[in-house]
Amino acid sequence: MVSIVQGSGRPTLAAVAREAGVSSPTVSKVINGREDVAESTRTKVLAALEQLGYQSTHQRKHAEGRTGIVEVVFDSLYSAYSVEVLNGVLEQAASIDVQVLVDVTGHPAAMTLSPERRAQRILDEGRLGLIVVTSGFSTAQLSAFRRRHIPVVVIDPLNPPPSEVVSVGATNWAGGKEATEHLLGLGHRRIAYVGGPESAECNQARLHGYMAALMADGVQVRPDYVMLDKFRPEHGIRSLKALLALPEPPTAIFAGSDSIGLGVLAEARRHGLRIPEDLSVVGFDGTYQAEQSIPALTTVTQPLQEMGRAALRAVLRLANNEELDSRRVELATHLVVRESTAAPAAGNPEPGTPPH
């Protein structure tokens, strides 16, 4: 007969195997994130691990002396957006003596780990929790974290997270509406939206805010004026080229991120367009790059550093088994008008549509 607990009172590997009705090597494979295990078997083993409260050697080691490390995962660190959010996390962490480990999922090496193995590694290394920023973590990955009770908070996810996952973001719909209303107020009617990935929740909200503002003002939403891709300058460059090739190019562009907006500005200069006389541009994020661009970019500012701070506070409360007031933290945006927007040139408005 196999003993259920070790001398210290901890469940053994053999006890977990017996509970799940499998062999000890199979349990070991699941713990180590091996992929050569049937999904139904993995589910039974994970349930047994949870029921008996089994902890690996690494987990016990870290549980006995918590390291106070939170892992922050980015899709990339190329944008000023990511840097601003990270600065907020680091500032909050420094004030409460928590260490931060940064990981980037866009790096090729990050793609070699299966969801189960990645989740188990985080657990074994004793992380307090995980903050996922604009990263395309799959439902399978988030489910693997949830099964192991790893606290996770997402910021502007590229894929819609399960409803039980805590998320932090800004008032994207209101921000998109305010940006578009600003351009409408200047007299623009041919306004394009150059946004991020179609599946990204923040992008969808900004797009819907743009559409709501146009429709409220009686302006038709034109499909050829909506271009979606990554939140990168290259997208702004390619989109402006395509928009300028239209028989009726836009007089203004609402860019779904400052990075996209900066790409639009760069391409406009290559075409000899004057900003804002020939083309008005509004960004979204409120990064330092928008303020320092030439001309300075009008943008919808979201509190990026506060989003980072809020995410860290939330993940630490989850790690302490505290109840959160809400599964969704949404912080206010506001429009900052700079030099990249103005009324359209005399020949640009659509016939019969006076500025207001």
Side-chain angles (χ1 to χ4, degrees):
M1 180 176 177
V2 179
S3 172
I4 291 183
V5 294
Q6 297 165 322
S8 62
R10 300 189 185 103
T12 64
L13 201 69
V16 175
R18 182 177 179 179
E19 179 70 24
V22 299
S23 66
S24 293
T26 298
V27 175
S28 181
K29 286 182 180 181
V30 173
I31 290 174
N32 290 307
R34 292 272 296 275
E35 298 181 12
D36 53 338
V37 179
E39 193 57 38
S40 58
T41 301
R42 187 188 309 279
T43 300
K44 288 193 296 184
V45 171
L46 289 171
L49 287 168
E50 181 176 346
Q51 182 175 339
L52 297 180
Y54 177 86
Q55 287 185 319
S56 68
T57 303
H58 285 302
Q59 288 173 258
R60 289 196 297 272
K61 173 183 171 184
H62 288 283
E64 290 160 3
R66 300 281 282 188
T67 56
I69 297 176
V70 172
E71 187 165 329
V72 186
V73 182
F74 292 87
D75 180 54
S76 78
L77 280 173
Y78 295 133
S79 68
Y81 168 98
S82 298
V83 173
E84 294 277 3
V85 171
L86 179 57
N87 282 337
V89 174
L90 292 173
E91 180 184 289
Q92 183 71 24
S95 69
I96 54 178
D97 197 26
V98 170
Q99 297 180 47
V100 173
L101 176 71
V102 177
D103 195 6
V104 179
T105 57
H107 193 279
M111 306 304 291
T112 61
L113 292 177
S114 69
E116 297 293 339
R117 183 171 298 213
R118 182 178 181 86
Q120 191 63 41
R121 176 187 64 79
I122 291 170
L123 196 62
D124 284 346
E125 292 176 355
R127 305 284 184 258
L128 293 176
L130 195 69
I131 297 173
V132 182
V133 187
T134 63
S135 182
F137 267 15
S138 65
T139 300
Q141 182 69 82
L142 292 172
S143 296
F145 295 147
R146 188 172 65 254
R147 284 197 298 270
R148 288 167 173 80
H149 303 289
I150 299 171
V152 176
V153 175
V154 298
I155 298 177
D156 283 343
L158 298 184
N159 298 326
S163 58
E164 65 272 13
V165 174
V166 176
S167 63
V168 175
T171 51
N172 291 294
W173 184 87
K177 187 169 182 285
E178 187 177 16
T180 310
E181 286 174 341
H182 168 65
L183 294 170
L184 289 167
L186 290 171
H188 293 278
R189 293 298 177 273
R190 303 202 304 269
I191 304 170
Y193 176 69
V194 181
E198 185 173 3
S199 63
E201 284 192 331
C202 58
N203 174 73
Q204 282 292 326
R206 293 167 199 173
L207 171 60
H208 291 160
Y210 155 84
M211 296 169 66
L214 291 181
M215 291 187 289
D217 211 75
V219 178
Q220 183 179 3
V221 178
R222 297 177 49 162
D224 58 347
Y225 277 7
V226 176
M227 298 191 168
L228 307 179
D229 204 333
K230 295 181 179 179
F231 289 116
R232 299 283 177 83
E234 310 89 78
H235 177 39
I237 292 170
R238 289 191 300 267
S239 295
L240 182 58
K241 287 179 181 177
L243 291 167
L244 291 177
L246 293 175
E248 204 172 38
T251 63
I253 291 176
F254 168 33
S257 74
D258 286 350
S259 292
I260 294 174
L262 293 174
V264 170
L265 293 183
E267 187 61 21
R269 283 193 293 271
R270 282 191 279 270
H271 282 268
L273 295 176
R274 299 168 302 161
I275 305 291
E277 292 87 353
D278 300 322
L279 180 71
S280 285
V281 184
V282 178
F284 199 110
D285 283 337
T287 61
Y288 61 86
Q289 288 180 323
E291 188 174 359
Q292 296 172 358
S293 68
I294 300 176
L297 185 65
T298 294
T299 187
V300 176
T301 297
Q302 51 180 335
L304 299 176
Q305 292 195 21
E306 179 54 31
M307 286 162 61
R309 290 191 286 266
L312 183 61
R313 289 194 296 266
V315 83
L316 292 177
R317 289 187 64 184
L318 290 173
N320 289 327
N321 295 315
E322 297 179 28
E323 285 293 325
L324 299 182
D325 298 331
S326 172
R327 310 300 287 182
R328 170 69 178 174
V329 178
E330 198 164 84
L331 304 174
T333 58
H334 67 279
L335 181 72
V336 177
V337 179
R338 297 194 179 106
E339 301 166 2
S340 66
T341 52
N348 276 339
E350 292 181 347
T353 309
H356 67 265

